[in-house]
Amino acid sequence: MPRTRNALLALSLLAALAGPARALPAFEEVKRDFRPSDIQVLDRDGELLQRVRTDARVRRGRWVALAEVSPALRTAMLLSEDKRFYEHSGVDWRAVSAAAWGNLWNTRTRGASTITMQLAGLLDDELRRGSGGRDLAQKLGQTVAAQQLERQWRKDQILEAYLNTVPFRGELVGIDALSRTLFGKAPHGLDAREAAVAAALVRAPNAKPALVAQRACEVMRAMEADTRMDCEALDMFASAALQRRAFEASEGIAPHLARRALREAEASSSARALTPALSRREREQDGDIRTTLRAPLQRFALTTLQRHLKELRGRNVEDGAAVVLDNASGEVLAWIGSSGTLSRAAEVDGVLAQRQPGSTLKPLLYAQAIAERRLTAASLLDDSSAQISTASGLYIPQNYDRQFKGHVSVRTALAASLNVPAVRTLVMVSPEAFARQLRAAGLGLAQNGDYYGYSLALGSAEVSLLGLANAYRTLANGERFGETRILRAPTPSPQPSPASGRGSEARAFDPRASFIVGDILSDANARAPTFGLDSVLGTRFWSAVKTGTSKDMRDNWAVGWSERYTVGVWVGNASGAPMWDVSGTSGAAPVWAELMGFLHRREASRAPAPPTGVVRAYVRFGDDLEAARDEWFIAGTEQARFELPAAAAVAEPAPRITAPTDGTIIALDPDIPPRHQRVRFEAQGSGLAWRIDGKPFARGASAQWLPWPGRHVVELLDARGRVVDQVKLEVRGAGVKSAAAK
């Protein structure tokens, strides 16, 4: 006993000489400063969308309240690390007196180190255990700090902080990360066996599974559990648990949105210390980010897109993207960046990727032409072969089905997505003026309008799905342009109304033209010539929609809006590879229709009210070109009858090649004599001549040609020798010798 009393006296004296007590943080401060290794990205209602790993050095989960830790784990931890935790005041003097002075601070044992002392070492960097253990000064400082903690904190706070900050194995810190990584469950669900393994890892974090199992068995015996069967299987159980990594680095249903939200939150926080886009309550939840998304809608959009792409698997298409916007606020309600596991480029965000939008730019073009009073919805446009001179040569647009419908109204041209009338409209507007209009709608083009030329009417510029959907949202709102938002604000940002007196520089569209274009895009009868009356584009509620397909079927789009929502869908391949036989109604449109149906399953969508300055008038068309109807006009542009131009009424059809079609591939058969494999050329018009690869070939409306392998350009010339049409052919296969002999 004298020796023990001397040891205690010496220890107390050394503790007193260790220096003034350090200022230890309060419990609430430790809890507030705790940072998980990943951030949870939440939807607008707090539902988890995605976890994103932000700290690669350690793995921490959420801060877990002591009440949410299983009783088995609390018991196992106390039995293993500090049996008299609720009896001592920071230092277990009975444990100290039970040990010999020479072994009291042995770095290979923590027999006398209490949970409070361990926590003090975790909270103070100067007391943190190094690779060689703690020196005498650190041990004494740890003793003083533990007693200070006991005076300032409650026991439950000490145990809670310890469980959340203690290292376990490798990168794992805290009970939440350990439970979810090794056992695939939350801490409140740990049973006695799992709790024993967890407690064993504190004592020997890097031990081999057999040693961990042995230590866990001792803990279970101390817990007075039925260990006979459990200890026999504990070795195998510990080995399996230590190899498991159930807690993935990042998981959820919105990976692309989560990364963007994280960047925006960090940028906002850096600029304003604490971003006002997040409420105080949201900021205190472990740094989690609250977004504008709706989790149920996000899940539905993802599963719908994946299911549809599986149905298109045989058509060489594997990627897709979708975005849903709230028309009034600009909040993003769903953001699907890729098809996930179906894609070989799942990291590419299809919502932000720049792609050619095809015919989806046409509504923006017609809105500009109507606003500038160049056209009305009833104006007649010529849908026939056109040869437009450009600096690089003739531009000869074609319709999707390579057929022409003659003179059609603007309503029919836009709803049925006819290409040639759109190009003729761009000739009126000019490419550069249209490019300025697109920029005003938020579509930042990489080049000026003259760079794209007249092909800009057919979507030759590259835009993102998010930008395109937001431009359509601007049409839906009449004229109001606003940026989209993905971070949830305490209250929605107010959006200016058309009558709010905004300057012309901020105005994207004329609200009267926007209304007329929306009415056209909602007209099932007007789109019938191309899509039929039972098209997938038709909905049971009011909606306006436009599809688009880029060159060589590399991109397919469907973008449209209802009274409250704008939905955009893209289908294609991130690699840029063309799809096989995927049209506007078989690619993106079915996904668009399902998303719109989901949004309006319990919510109505009414047609917008006409704005001031729009009138409705009854119109007739000469030569019965289209049925008489009521039509919308900007006030002052209405007229009762639309006739063909005098020249157009008497002129014969424009000369054009009717066969073969552009892009035809001719395969020669080596078993058939070349003279029996002639290709017949057909054209409409008079006074015509043919030219192949720049050399005169024949005259008249028809001709026969003996093909030879290679790629060829066939041109049709009118009576004045002008090129009025051309097609490109490719001949493959045999026939080289015969061609040479010829």
Side-chain angles (χ1 to χ4, degrees), residues 1-17 91-102 104-105 112 117 140 143 147:
M1 286 299 296
R3 183 176 180 182
T4 301
R5 284 196 298 269
N6 291 337
L8 293 174
L9 181 61
L11 182 59
S12 300
L13 180 61
L14 288 172
L17 296 174
V91 179
D92 188 351
W93 298 111
R94 290 173 57 185
V96 173
S97 64
W101 179 264
L104 181 61
W105 301 109
M117 293 172 66
L140 294 174
T143 302
Q147 293 175 313

Side-chain angles (χ1 to χ4, degrees), residues 604-628:
S605 175
R606 297 177 295 271
T612 303
V614 171
V615 297
R616 195 166 193 176
Y618 188 73
V619 298
R620 296 178 181 273
F621 297 89
D623 295 333
D624 296 325
L625 290 172
E626 293 188 8

Side-chain angles (χ1 to χ4, degrees), residues 324-558:
V324 180
L325 306 177
D326 182 278
N327 290 343
S329 65
E331 291 180 340
V332 178
L333 305 180
W335 180 306
I336 309 298
S338 81
S339 59
T341 56
L342 301 179
S343 173
R344 286 174 289 183
E347 292 300 311
V348 176
D349 190 347
V351 173
L352 298 178
Q354 299 288 310
R355 315 284 296 194
Q356 289 188 342
S359 294
T360 56
L361 292 188
K362 290 176 183 175
L364 312 182
L365 172 61
Y366 282 107
Q368 182 176 4
I370 292 172
E372 294 175 355
R373 303 191 176 213
R374 300 178 186 274
L375 294 172
T376 72
S379 298
L380 294 173
L381 292 171
D382 186 11
D383 181 31
S384 62
S385 179
Q387 299 82 37
I388 302 172
S389 298
T390 69
S392 57
L394 286 177
Y395 177 55
I396 306 177
Q398 298 285 338
N399 285 325
Y400 179 78
D401 58 4
R402 300 192 181 279
Q403 301 295 321
F404 298 101
K405 295 177 173 56
H407 280 79
V408 296
S409 69
V410 165
R411 177 173 290 271
T412 299
L414 173 55
S417 196
L418 302 179
N419 287 344
V420 176
V423 174
R424 294 187 190 277
T425 300
L426 184 57
V427 172
M428 304 178 199
V429 173
S430 86
E432 182 53 35
F434 183 40
R436 289 195 298 270
Q437 171 73 79
L438 294 178
R439 293 190 185 96
L443 295 173
L445 305 186
Q447 306 290 338
N448 59 33
D450 293 335
Y451 172 86
Y452 301 106
Y454 296 113
S455 65
L456 186 58
L458 308 183
S460 60
E462 292 186 335
V463 301
S464 70
L465 177 60
L466 181 63
L468 185 62
N470 198 35
Y472 271 58
R473 182 178 78 89
T474 305
L475 279 176
N477 289 333
E479 66 165 323
R480 297 170 293 167
F481 172 79
E483 299 292 343
T484 57
R485 294 193 299 109
I486 61 174
L487 296 182
R488 183 70 168 157
T491 56
S493 299
Q495 295 289 327
S497 65
S500 60
R502 297 176 62 186
S504 59
E505 293 181 357
R507 179 166 146 171
F509 294 106
D510 185 312
R512 300 166 299 178
S514 297
F515 170 80
I516 293 171
V517 167
D519 186 72
I520 293 173
L521 295 180
S522 67
D523 189 345
N525 291 324
R527 74 168 73 101
T530 297
F531 300 100
L533 289 173
D534 59 347
S535 166
V536 68
L537 301 176
T539 59
R540 295 181 292 104
F541 45 87
W542 186 91
S543 63
V545 60
K546 185 71 185 72
T547 62
T549 303
S550 67
K551 184 179 179 182
D552 298 328
M553 285 191 180
R554 297 181 186 277
D555 308 280
N556 188 252
W557 310 73

